[in-house]
Structure formats: structure tokens, C-alpha cells
Amino acid sequence: MMNQRSSLKALAHTLLLWVLLASAAPAMAQTDPLPSWNDGPAKQAIVEFVKATTTPGGAGFVPEAERIATFDQDGTLWVEKPMYSQVIYCLDRVPAVVKARPELANVEPFKTVMSGDREAIAKLSLEDLEKILMVTLTGMSVDDFRAEATKWLDTARDPRWKRPYTELTYLPMQEVLKFLRANGYKTYIVTGGGQDFVRIYAERVYGIPPEQVVGTAAATSYGYDKDGKPFLTKDPRVLLNDNNAGKPEGIYLMIGRRPVAAFGNSTGDRQMLEYTKAGGGARLSMLVLHDDAVREYAYGPAQGLADSRVGTFTQALYDEAKKAGWTVISMKNDWKRIFAFD
Amino acid sequence: MMNQRSSLKALAHTLLLWVLLASAAPAMAQTDPLPSWNDGPAKQAIVEFVKATTTPGGAGFVPEAERIATFDQDGTLWVEKPMYSQVIYCLDRVPAVVKARPELANVEPFKTVMSGDREAIAKLSLEDLEKILMVTLTGMSVDDFRAEATKWLDTARDPRWKRPYTELTYLPMQEVLKFLRANGYKTYIVTGGGQDFVRIYAERVYGIPPEQVVGTAAATSYGYDKDGKPFLTKDPRVLLNDNNAGKPEGIYLMIGRRPVAAFGNSTGDRQMLEYTKAGGGARLSMLVLHDDAVREYAYGPAQGLADSRVGTFTQALYDEAKKAGWTVISMKNDWKRIFAFD
């Protein structure tokens, strides 16, 4: 007992020392939570929003349980050019699917994908891509899907930086995720991409657990294998289309609270940003503008940027942002660094 | 500065005292986490499961992020007899709906409900009830729904105990919820009842936030009011039917992880319990058996209990439980108290 008391006393003295030291280092609390951001209106908007919503007694104070922040993924948290990573995964999966179902080899759009003709593949219509997604993402158990996609994520490399796709996440946005969480926010991904796909790496890449990923989702069916063990199969039927109006609808279904902060980069995020801002009080709606052709890509077509099939940021969206008090983030001007590997 | 140092020194001495006192009270840790449970196999199963899944290095250890426990609501966390509370809410709503839509007054099943004939109302078919639910729960904004249901929950009283329905929650199950949360578990409700309805009171009654309530859900539509302010409308279309196989499907969609523990009370929970148990390792699947006609109700028809339209616990389910290693909770034998107000 004396020994235990002695060691507890030593611990208490350590605590005393720690308390005294802490009082001598108030500067620690001043560490910049967003070191990859240049000073400017975007960084200022984030810092002021966090201060307003977390200061007890302030007009903009939000109780911790209601601190919900939602982030689009493609083009907001990671690179979406030249094509969404998940679409590249699906295209890469086509040969395996055609091997298992040879009748697809001479059917479009699978025939074009199998031809390897990059130009023709790049020209596939949205309808064609949807057919490819349906065939490559469904008709298997959720465990088989997970195993296949995990293998691809571990081995595939993007064409420009020659790195795993999961490394192409924006460092400044990672800082925002951490800054919000350090201030009691629950961070969610609300993506037009596949919920199952993103859930595989969201914890590792963004620190976001699967239950905080909302995305486009296929229905599943519960069944039993030959040993009577239950499993879930991914069905070729879209249950949730988490784009445009589907984003606030998906947020209501999956979270049941209106976000206080929302981040997007395209017309597909418009309704989520409107819905967030309409909550009243201190609200943060932000849009990432891809205007840095040197360090990433420049496409839009807001502000005269090139038109693009992915991540459409129209001038009308830009104008709505300005009018509604959303903040546009210029990758070129607001971000010191784009990637952790820069 | 000296003043600040002095007060910090005083704080450190308080900490020292606290540490010394704590060492003298090891008995505190032994407090029974389930005081409303009689000693027996059910209580033992819960305590042993928690110990197995939270002991680092043990064979059954589950990392904190994966500690998911799911609870059916009606008949598992609160009383479901003589009829599900939400159905009573919908029946109570019929006059207001008929007033707004007089054409329904002479259409069944609304005509029967408006007649006030309790016997005839009790005999309404499941199909009739579904029609009533659809008309009373949809076709309004989510905010209007919330306001209406909140008003009802605040004022309605159950016929037997003359108390708000939200007080009819089982004290022993409340203790399980708290015990699991104190051990790093995230507790979810997975109910065949309406997700929107349960989310209104789940935080207050069960300590479960809206984002951890999974239930049967109608689709919503995003739109704008005359001032251009966005809002969501509840549509008369079932998006998720969270019963039977719909429970593991809903869990996969909304949580994306397999539960480690699951609690139910009827055939509608069978698949959730199977799915949970099939995860392997230390898993807990439990069924509440309503066998206490004196303190609550006795219905089943497992073990010769009376047949019932709600919360069907068949003998086949009882047999599967015994065979699969699920634990059946006898309300009569396992629970010292049923309600906090007993």
C-alpha cells in the first residue's frame, strides 16, 4: 500500500509540474490549425465559423451534438480528374466481368472497353458508364465487392502522379476535417460516388468511419449460403442517388440533422449547400474551385475555366455562391500546398 | 502571474488529494451495472460478453470503433401492447387528415376509424393500417411532421398506466444501453417503426442521437417554398422497410458494419440476430420474451403464450434461439423491475 501511495504521489507531482508548465506556454494554443492555407477570406471564413459556433454564450453557438459537417468527396477531398477514381475502378473490372459473362464481350459499351481504345472509352456516354457501373459493382456479395475493391485500391496508380488514388487527397481539406473534429464536429462524407466504395478507405484516408459515409447506394438482399450462413448481395438496383437534391434527401435519411457546415465543388453539391445555409445562425457553405492547372487541374466552367464532364462548376453556381454568402475556395490562391507529398 | 501560479498550485494539490483518495476506494469499480436484473443466465451473458469484447489481448476482443450494438424498439426497449405507439399516433391523426381531405370520410379504412368503434378499429387488417400510416405520416414537410408528432408525444397517455408513451421504456434495457456505452459501444435503434418518429424522442428517452436510429423510412423530396427557402417533403413511398431481412439490409446501408450485439423480441428481428451472430468471435444475440402478464403482458406464442398481432415470438424462433446460442430474456424471471416508475 505504501508503495502504491508513493507512486501515486509521484504521479501527482508530475501533474503539478505539468500544470505549472502549461501556464507558461499559452502560445501553444495559438498554433495555426490550417497551415496549408494562405491567409485570405476562405481561411478566415473557416476560422471565424468555428469560433462562432463553439463559443459558449455566443449568438452563433451550436451544441456539440448538432455539430455536423458534410463533405462531398470527388473534387472536394480528392482529385476527380481525368475521371472519378471509382469509374476507373469499374473500367478496370470489365475484363474480369466479361470473362465471367462472355456474352457481354460483343455488347456495347463493354465491347468498347475491351477494345482498349482510350479515345473511344473517354467518349462513352453517361448512360454507357451507368451500365458499366451497374455490372461491375453489383451481382456479388458485399464481402466479395470489398475484397476486389480493396485489392484495386492497394495496387492501382493514377496516371499523372503515379501514386495510389488514396494519396491524392487535398492536404488543406484534411486540415479542415481535423480542425472541425478537434472542435467537436462530426465529419461526414456525402458523395455522389458509391457509398460502399468510399467506406473501404474513408477511415484510413479521412479519419471518417463507415457509418459517417453517405453515398449513392445499391439495394442489397439478405440470403444464406449453402452452409446456412447469412450474407448480403449487392443488387443491380439504385436505392439512393446521392447527387443534387439526393444530397439533402440522403442527409435527412442517414443523419437526420441539418449540417452546420458543408463543402462541395460542383453543381451536384448545390442543394446540400443551400440546405445547410438555410438552417439559419452561423452556417458555412464552401465550394472548391479548381483553378490551378499547374499544381492540379483547372476546369469549371466558372470564371472562364475549361468545360468538363466531371465536377461541373458553372458560372451560375459561382454567382449563387456569391449571392448566398457561400465562400469559394481558390485552389490557386488559397492553398499553399495541394498534397501531402508535394 | 504569481496569482495564477498559486491557483494552479492549489489545483495540483487538489489533484494529489484526489489521486490518494481514489486509491482507497477500489470497491467503486465493482458497482453492479445492471441492478434491475436478477442473477441468472441472461444477466451473466451480458456481463461476460462485455468483458470478453473489451479485454485487450483476449480472444474475443473487439476494437472500440467496431463496437456496434443494435436494438429493436417496440417490445424490446418499450411496451408495444395493446398496439405499437406509432400506430396509435396515426389513428389519433386520422380526424385531422379527414378534416383536411373530406373525401376520405366515406372511404375505408378511414370511415371505420372515424366511427370510433374500438372493436372494429382493433380488427383492421395490416393492409388497412398501412393505408392509414401512409396518409397520416406523409404528404407534409418533415418539420410539420416533427411538430405534430412532438405535440402528440407530449400529451398522449397510454391506456393502462396513464403515462406518456415515452415513459413505458424498460429499465433493465436502459441499463444495458448505458452499460454498453460505458464500455465503448455505439448503441443503435434498428426498428420496424418509423425512423422519423423514433428520432424525435430517441435522444431524450434512450440517449441515442438521431443519426443512430435506423427504421422504416419514406422517401423525401427536396423543394422550395414561396420565399425560395428549401425544405423536405415526406413522400407516400416506402424507401426502407426495416423489418425481417430489411434489418440487416438497413444496418448495412446505414451503419456499414456488422453489429457485435443485437437485441430483439419477435420474428421481425430474426435476421438481425442471425446476421450479428454470424460475425464470429464473441457475439451477443438476445430476445426479450414477454411472459409477465402481471407486470406487463404475456404474449408469444412461444412457450404456450397467447397469440398476438404485435411482436410475434413463435416457438420456432424460440427453438432457433436455443439452437443458435442466442439468449432468451424472461421478463418475469430476469427482470427485478420493469419500469423506472414501478
Side-chain angles (χ1 to χ4, degrees):
Chain A
M1 194 60 185
M2 276 314 288
N3 269 351
Q4 199 187 343
R5 288 249 163 133
S6 301
S7 67
L8 285 167
K9 207 165 169 181
L11 169 65
H13 280 131
T14 307
L15 286 170
L16 172 66
L17 188 69
W18 176 83
V19 169
L20 292 174
L21 281 174
S23 70
M28 289 293 287
Q30 305 291 321
T31 305
D32 184 354
L34 303 171
S36 301
W37 291 71
N38 288 314
D39 290 329
K43 180 173 180 170
Q44 197 183 338
I46 299 166
V47 172
E48 282 176 2
F49 163 79
V50 168
K51 196 178 166 190
T53 55
T54 59
T55 304
F61 182 73
V62 175
E64 191 156 336
E66 293 167 24
R67 291 184 201 157
I68 302 286
T70 55
F71 292 78
D72 168 60
Q73 188 196 216
D74 294 301
T76 299
L77 292 179
W78 76 351
V79 174
E80 64 184 348
K81 291 279 272 182
M83 181 41 76
Y84 305 119
S85 306
Q86 189 185 357
V87 172
I88 301 173
Y89 167 68
C90 293
L91 292 170
D92 284 357
R93 273 277 297 164
V94 167
V97 170
V98 168
K99 197 177 167 191
R101 296 174 56 184
E103 73 276 14
L104 293 176
N106 290 310
V107 178
E108 290 298 355
F110 307 98
K111 195 176 165 185
T112 295
V113 178
M114 292 303 286
S115 76
D117 178 346
R118 279 163 181 259
E119 216 165 300
I121 294 169
K123 279 185 190 149
L124 288 173
S125 69
L126 194 64
E127 208 179 18
D128 284 337
L129 289 177
E130 276 170 4
K131 273 183 205 162
I132 292 165
L133 265 60
M134 204 52 101
V135 161
T136 52
L137 296 174
T138 68
M140 69 203 76
S141 77
V142 301
D143 292 335
D144 286 350
F145 166 75
R146 193 181 179 87
E148 281 298 330
T150 300
K151 202 162 64 185
W152 184 84
L153 285 159
D154 287 346
T155 53
R157 296 293 179 268
D158 88 285
R160 179 164 163 188
W161 290 276
K162 319 290 182 204
R163 289 177 176 274
Y165 288 93
T166 48
E167 286 186 19
L168 303 188
T169 170
Y170 307 131
L171 184 60
M173 295 306 288
Q174 291 277 352
E175 292 170 1
V176 174
L177 287 168
K178 283 177 193 149
F179 182 41
L180 288 172
R181 288 197 292 260
N183 282 281
Y185 276 87
K186 223 169 176 176
T187 53
Y188 282 81
I189 289 174
V190 177
T191 173
Q195 182 169 282
D196 289 1
F197 188 79
V198 179
R199 278 177 169 174
I200 294 172
Y201 55 83
E203 178 101 60
R204 177 168 54 89
V205 176
Y206 305 118
I208 295 180
E211 60 269 29
Q212 286 165 227
V213 174
V214 178
T216 295
T220 59
S221 291
Y222 182 84
Y224 304 90
D225 68 13
K226 59 179 169 38
D227 301 319
K229 203 177 163 175
F231 70 101
L232 292 164
T233 302
K234 283 167 74 71
D235 293 334
R237 176 168 73 85
V238 174
L239 188 63
L240 305 177
N241 183 348
D242 202 50
N243 272 308
N244 306 304
K247 290 211 174 192
E249 291 161 7
I251 288 168
Y252 180 76
L253 178 74
M254 306 278 286
I255 311 176
R257 304 188 198 257
R258 193 192 295 254
V260 187
F263 301 77
N265 80 302
S266 79
T267 49
D269 302 312
R270 182 168 68 83
Q271 289 87 342
M272 175 170 75
L273 270 61
E274 286 174 350
Y275 180 64
T276 300
K277 199 76 181 175
R283 293 290 179 277
L284 185 66
S285 287
M286 300 192 91
L287 278 165
V288 175
L289 181 69
H290 293 261
D291 57 357
D292 193 329
V294 177
R295 296 187 300 171
E296 204 239 11
Y297 294 97
Y299 56 98
Q303 305 292 287
L305 299 170
D307 208 348
S308 170
R309 287 182 66 190
V310 300
T312 308
F313 193 141
T314 60
Q315 188 59 37
L317 182 66
Y318 190 91
D319 295 341
E320 181 174 357
K322 291 291 160 188
K323 199 177 150 196
W326 308 347
T327 305
V328 174
I329 300 163
S330 159
M331 290 180 73
K332 193 172 171 179
N333 301 320
D334 287 315
W335 290 358
K336 265 184 215 161
R337 288 171 71 187
I338 307 277
F339 303 108
F341 59 76
D342 273 348
Chain B
M1 193 61 185
M2 277 313 288
N3 270 352
Q4 197 186 346
R5 287 251 164 132
S6 302
S7 68
L8 286 168
K9 206 164 168 181
L11 170 63
H13 280 130
T14 306
L15 287 171
L16 172 66
L17 189 68
W18 177 84
V19 169
L20 291 174
L21 282 173
S23 70
M28 289 293 287
Q30 304 292 323
T31 304
D32 184 354
L34 302 171
S36 301
W37 291 71
N38 288 313
D39 289 330
K43 179 173 181 171
Q44 196 183 340
I46 300 165
V47 171
E48 282 177 2
F49 163 79
V50 168
K51 196 177 167 192
T53 55
T54 59
T55 303
F61 182 74
V62 175
E64 193 158 334
E66 293 167 25
R67 291 184 201 156
I68 303 286
T70 55
F71 292 79
D72 168 59
Q73 188 195 219
D74 294 301
T76 299
L77 292 180
W78 77 352
V79 174
E80 64 185 348
K81 290 281 268 181
M83 181 41 75
Y84 305 119
S85 306
Q86 189 185 357
V87 172
I88 301 173
Y89 167 69
C90 293
L91 291 169
D92 284 356
R93 274 276 298 162
V94 166
V97 170
V98 168
K99 198 177 169 190
R101 297 173 56 184
E103 73 276 14
L104 294 176
N106 291 311
V107 178
E108 289 297 354
F110 307 99
K111 195 176 164 184
T112 295
V113 178
M114 292 302 287
S115 75
D117 178 345
R118 280 164 181 259
E119 214 164 302
I121 294 169
K123 279 185 190 149
L124 288 173
S125 69
L126 194 64
E127 208 178 18
D128 284 337
L129 289 177
E130 276 170 4
K131 275 183 204 160
I132 292 164
L133 265 61
M134 203 53 100
V135 161
T136 52
L137 297 174
T138 68
M140 69 204 77
S141 76
V142 301
D143 293 335
D144 286 349
F145 166 75
R146 194 182 179 85
E148 281 298 329
T150 301
K151 201 162 64 184
W152 184 84
L153 285 160
D154 287 346
T155 52
R157 297 291 179 269
D158 88 285
R160 178 163 164 189
W161 290 276
K162 320 289 182 204
R163 289 176 176 273
Y165 288 94
T166 48
E167 287 186 19
L168 302 188
T169 170
Y170 307 130
L171 184 60
M173 294 306 288
Q174 291 278 353
E175 292 170 359
V176 174
L177 287 168
K178 283 178 192 148
F179 182 42
L180 288 172
R181 288 198 292 262
N183 282 280
Y185 276 87
K186 224 170 176 174
T187 53
Y188 282 81
I189 290 174
V190 177
T191 174
Q195 183 170 282
D196 289 0
F197 187 78
V198 180
R199 278 176 170 175
I200 294 172
Y201 55 83
E203 179 101 59
R204 175 168 56 89
V205 176
Y206 305 118
I208 294 179
E211 61 268 29
Q212 286 166 224
V213 175
V214 178
T216 295
T220 59
S221 290
Y222 182 84
Y224 304 90
D225 70 13
K226 59 180 170 37
D227 301 319
K229 202 176 163 175
F231 70 100
L232 292 164
T233 301
K234 284 168 74 73
D235 293 333
R237 177 169 72 83
V238 174
L239 188 63
L240 304 177
N241 183 349
D242 203 51
N243 271 309
N244 305 306
K247 291 212 173 191
E249 291 162 8
I251 288 168
Y252 181 76
L253 178 74
M254 306 278 286
I255 311 177
R257 303 189 197 256
R258 193 193 297 253
V260 187
F263 301 78
N265 79 303
S266 79
T267 49
D269 302 312
R270 183 168 67 85
Q271 289 87 342
M272 175 169 77
L273 270 61
E274 286 174 349
Y275 180 65
T276 299
K277 199 75 182 177
R283 292 290 179 278
L284 185 66
S285 287
M286 299 192 93
L287 278 165
V288 175
L289 181 69
H290 293 261
D291 57 358
D292 193 329
V294 177
R295 296 186 298 170
E296 203 238 12
Y297 294 97
Y299 56 98
Q303 305 293 287
L305 299 171
D307 208 346
S308 170
R309 286 181 68 191
V310 300
T312 309
F313 193 143
T314 61
Q315 188 58 38
L317 183 66
Y318 190 91
D319 295 341
E320 181 175 357
K322 291 291 161 188
K323 200 178 150 194
W326 309 346
T327 306
V328 175
I329 300 164
S330 159
M331 290 181 74
K332 192 173 172 180
N333 301 320
D334 287 315
W335 290 358
K336 263 183 218 165
R337 288 172 69 188
I338 307 277
F339 303 108
F341 59 77
D342 273 348

